[in-house]
Amino acid sequence: MASHGIKDRVAIIGMGCTRFGEHWDKGVDELLLEATGAAFQSAGVTKEDVDAYWLGTAQSGMSGLTLSRPLQLKDKAVTRVENYCATGSEALRQAAYAVASGACDIAMAVGVEKVKDSGYQGLNAFPIPNDGTQRTLTAAAMFSMVVPAYGGAYGVSEADMRTVLARIASKNHSNGARNPRAQFRKEMSVEQLCAMPAVAGQLSVFDCAGVADGAAAAIVVRAEDAHLYTDNPIVIKALALVSGDGSGLMDPEYDYTTFPEVVAAARQAYAQAGIESPRDELAMAEVHDCFTPTELVLIEDLGLADRGTAWKRIMEGAFDLDGELPVNPDGGLKSFGHPVGATGLRMVFEVWLQLRGEAPEERRISTFGSRSLALTHNLGGYPGEMVSFVSILGTA
């Protein structure tokens, strides 16, 4: 058996994305209306034209009513989905497969999160376990274990690891500073970042993604119908989702230098899309940099650099906006922000802008015009127990 995928059968014809940040003046309804309204406008369709909706949210609603009420949808199926921080990607995956199956002609995937005025610090499990199984480490603490593990495995000193992580953060802050939708729009030098005090292991606050409010949306149709709506559709080449079994936390051999679920999802996605050398074929990658060491490991797990070499390639600028393979050109979670339900679709929105040539010149990837495929990677959970999503998207 294999994950055959739906290559070239479904296309994105419209997208919308709000600014991510502290929206004290907006609630869930306003964020949803803004993102979906922009998507409807870009596709040239109305809410009545869409046959079914998939809403991704982790903490901002418990049913499809979260979307159908503000949009005033009549007699429409609205499915609410949640899959940790990969929730937005899950909404897109299900909407795309509904179109590919023939069940829908037009479907919409929407992701939203409104948490800044709730006191939540990120992803929270409901109900909170009271049987002694609740986690005693924060997400920052869990991912901080990647740092000494990677340095020890590949002979990178603590000082050099600190500089590498600061280089990742500086790159993403530089990209976010050029993006009007990003939560944090201030450039930070490597020197400034290295001087920050540690808050979890060797991680500083600036190694951690920001908590944000925001929403994003995508409209999908059969690929053969896409040109009825737009001259520049983005075609889905692969959608791969892998849910781990949590064994990494109990496996004494697990060393925190790789995320097996990511490796498996990437392998499936590349097989579906027919990609043999991702570092040579991809124009860009949006990866789930919830923490700076996560991006470091993901670059290797996704095959964008050989094992033990990503830290060198990062220092060389290989993944900068003007590098050979831009990673997180919109600023990533680190600078763009991370409203859990919307993040996966925000990544796709950046692909939408970049591959269609709609990103402004100061934000345009170096590979524009020479390569036509892009990757998004979205994960949820922790090292040793996570879900991982990888999409490959391309121009028609």
Side-chain angles (χ1 to χ4, degrees):
M1 297 180 67
S3 176
H4 299 295
I6 54 172
K7 181 181 180 182
D8 295 332
R9 292 168 59 188
V10 177
I12 301 169
I13 59 166
M15 289 205 73
C17 184
T18 70
R19 182 181 64 83
F20 283 14
E22 298 179 339
H23 287 289
W24 305 113
D25 59 336
K26 295 179 181 178
V28 174
D29 290 3
E30 287 81 8
L31 292 169
L32 286 171
L33 288 167
E34 181 179 342
T36 57
F40 291 137
Q41 183 177 12
S42 69
V45 301
T46 68
K47 63 184 182 182
E48 288 79 16
D49 295 323
V50 177
D51 299 312
Y53 295 77
W54 275 261
L55 168 68
T57 187
Q59 295 165 185
S60 296
M62 295 185 67
S63 77
L65 284 166
T66 306
L67 182 66
S68 62
R69 186 179 54 245
L71 263 66
Q72 291 295 288
L73 300 174
K74 302 296 183 184
D75 304 322
K76 299 289 185 179
V78 183
T79 304
R80 182 262 184 185
V81 300
E82 189 274 321
N83 207 347
Y84 275 174
C85 298
T87 291
S89 297
E90 184 69 73
L92 176 64
R93 188 175 73 97
Q94 295 195 27
Y97 271 88
V99 168
S101 74
C104 301
D105 293 326
I106 307 178
M108 174 177 262
V110 188
V112 69
E113 218 67 69
K114 172 63 179 167
V115 295
K116 286 302 296 185
D117 49 5
S118 68
Y120 295 134
Q121 299 180 39
L123 185 62
N124 297 271
F126 297 105
I128 303 299
N130 59 7
D131 60 356
T133 62
Q134 63 265 37
R135 184 175 304 283
T136 57
L137 295 178
T138 64
M142 290 293 291
F143 281 93
S144 76
M145 290 190 266
V146 171
V147 182
Y150 187 96
Y154 300 116
V156 188
S157 70
E158 183 175 328
D160 284 343
M161 284 296 296
R162 178 64 256 155
T163 303
V164 170
L165 300 184
R167 183 69 173 76
I168 292 170
S170 181
K171 168 183 70 72
N172 291 345
H173 273 284
S174 177
N175 292 344
R178 291 160 174 75
N179 194 332
R181 290 183 174 87
Q183 181 180 24
F184 302 117
R185 300 194 60 204
K186 181 180 179 181
E187 293 198 40
M188 299 288 290
S189 70
V190 170
E191 292 73 23
Q192 286 176 302
L193 292 162
C194 283
M196 297 292 174
V199 295
Q202 298 173 37
L203 302 185
S204 78
V205 169
F206 281 85
D207 287 300
C208 310
V211 178
D213 303 327
I219 299 173
V220 294
V221 302
R222 287 183 293 272
E224 61 264 31
D225 297 332
H227 287 285
L228 299 174
Y229 306 92
T230 177
D231 292 332
N232 300 297
I234 295 298
V235 179
I236 294 173
K237 305 291 184 177
L239 300 171
L241 178 72
V242 169
S243 298
D245 60 7
S247 61
L249 295 183
M250 300 173 286
D251 183 358
E253 301 299 319
Y254 181 61
D255 68 355
Y256 288 85
T257 65
T258 182
F259 308 139
E261 299 91 342
V262 176
V263 175
R267 182 170 58 246
Q268 288 185 22
Y270 294 148
Q272 291 175 20
I275 289 178
E276 297 181 356
S277 178
R279 72 188 72 178
D280 298 316
E281 297 178 56
L282 294 173
M284 59 169 284
E286 282 286 324
V287 307
H288 195 99
D289 60 318
C290 47
F291 301 93
T292 51
T294 315
E295 180 169 327
L296 171 65
V297 169
L298 291 175
I299 286 171
E300 296 181 4
D301 281 348
L302 294 168
L304 309 183
D306 293 335
R307 289 290 172 196
T309 69
W311 70 278
K312 296 179 182 178
R313 305 291 288 128
I314 288 165
M315 294 304 296
E316 294 167 356
F319 308 111
D320 291 358
L321 194 64
D322 59 356
E324 61 192 61
L325 176 52
V327 172
N328 289 337
D330 65 356
L333 281 73
K334 178 68 202 69
S335 184
F336 206 109
H338 181 35
V340 171
T343 285
L345 284 161
R346 180 271 298 166
M347 296 174 173
V348 177
F349 181 73
E350 180 65 7
V351 172
W352 170 266
L353 294 178
Q354 293 285 0
L355 293 191
R356 286 162 48 99
E358 295 181 4
E361 189 171 349
E362 66 272 16
R363 288 210 321 106
R364 188 165 295 172
I365 54 177
S366 60
T367 52
F368 175 70
S370 61
R371 299 180 186 178
S372 60
L373 296 174
L375 174 148
T376 73
H377 165 265
N378 200 194
L379 68 78
Y382 304 89
E385 54 165 359
M386 65 174 58
V387 297
S388 176
F389 170 88
V390 174
S391 81
I392 305 296
L393 308 166
T395 53

